[in-house]
Every structure is written in structure tokens, then in C-alpha cells.
Amino acid sequence: MKHRAPDVALAVKRLQHRHHRALSQALAPLGLSLVQWDTLRHLHRKPDASLHDLAVLTFQTDQSFGSLAVRMAERGLIERIAGPGRAVRHQLTDEGARLRAEGQELVDAITEKSFGALSAAQLDQLGDLLDAALGQ
């Protein structure tokens, strides 16, 4: 066996860490943290998402995401809208949508550079292998 599972796991973690550093640096001039941009991305993909849904999608607890959402609403990036019962839904504001789109260009450039050494077939294969490892 050429690659042992722990070594592959470490390589995945190193790549993730490299992406996080590069993305955090690229998004800083927009006044966004990576988790804030990730929130905007998920709201773009899933409008009216609940607080819990967004917490799960951004790898946070409900409580920590709630604090983040309040700060983002105060900055005018998202709107918090009362839903049924105690549920709170979230939507992008025009400013949030603009920053998400600007951030997406930066993210695309970084990830394309990161995976640039892979052919399209290799990138598809890597995606398939990661899906399999995640049970998807």
C-alpha cells in the first residue's frame, strides 16, 4: 500500500489548513472572516435557512452561530427574520450578496490554484474518493 490512512488524513488536514490560511488572508480586505463568508455562501445556496441549519453547515454550535449571526446582522450582511414559533430565518442583504460574490471570486482563484496540478479527471477522481470516504 502506497498511502496509509493516517497519512492521507494528515494530507487532507494540511490541505484544509493551507486553504483556510489563504482564504482568511484573501477575504480580510473585504472585512470578512472565513466563517462569515461561509455563512454568506450557505445563505446564498439555501435562502431562509434556520439558525441550526447554518450552524451545522458552518461547523459551529447553535449558540456560537447565533452570536455570529447577530454580529453579521448588525453589520448589515444578513437579515434575521422571525419564522414559525421561535425559529429565526436568515437572508442575505444586498451588501451581504455583494461581498459573497466578491469573496467567491477570491475563493475560486485560491482553490483553482491549489488543485491546478490535477487534471480534470484527477479532480473528479479525488472528489469521488472523498465522497466515498464521507459515505455520500
Side-chain angles (χ1 to χ4, degrees):
M1 179 174 0
K2 182 177 177 182
H3 300 284
R4 295 182 29 216
D7 297 330
V8 172
L10 183 57
V12 168
K13 182 66 176 173
R14 283 184 177 148
L15 182 60
Q16 178 189 31
H17 186 261
R18 181 172 73 186
H19 284 158
H20 281 217
R21 280 193 327 241
L23 294 171
S24 293
Q25 185 177 8
L27 293 167
L30 298 179
L32 293 174
S33 68
L34 181 54
V35 72
Q36 288 171 327
W37 180 82
D38 196 33
T39 298
L40 298 175
R41 171 178 59 171
H42 287 298
L43 273 175
H44 174 73
R45 291 179 177 173
K46 190 175 179 182
D48 297 322
S50 71
L51 183 140
H52 176 73
D53 291 342
L54 290 167
V56 170
L57 289 167
T58 59
F59 305 101
Q60 297 185 62
T61 65
D62 288 1
Q63 183 178 359
S64 62
F65 185 82
S67 296
L68 174 68
V70 167
R71 291 191 308 274
M72 290 180 73
E74 288 171 352
R75 273 191 64 195
L77 302 176
I78 63 173
E79 293 177 331
R80 295 173 49 106
I81 300 164
R86 294 180 16 178
V88 175
R89 301 289 182 205
H90 300 83
Q91 291 182 335
L92 291 177
T93 63
D94 290 343
E95 178 66 2
R98 182 187 70 78
L99 289 173
R100 186 220 49 90
E102 285 187 40
Q104 186 67 60
E105 291 179 18
L106 299 169
V107 169
D108 289 349
I110 288 167
T111 55
E112 286 173 19
K113 180 180 177 185
S114 181
F115 292 109
L118 301 179
S119 69
Q122 289 172 319
L123 189 58
D124 283 342
Q125 181 182 23
L126 177 58
D128 290 343
L129 292 169
L130 290 171
D131 284 347
L134 292 168
Q136 297 177 348

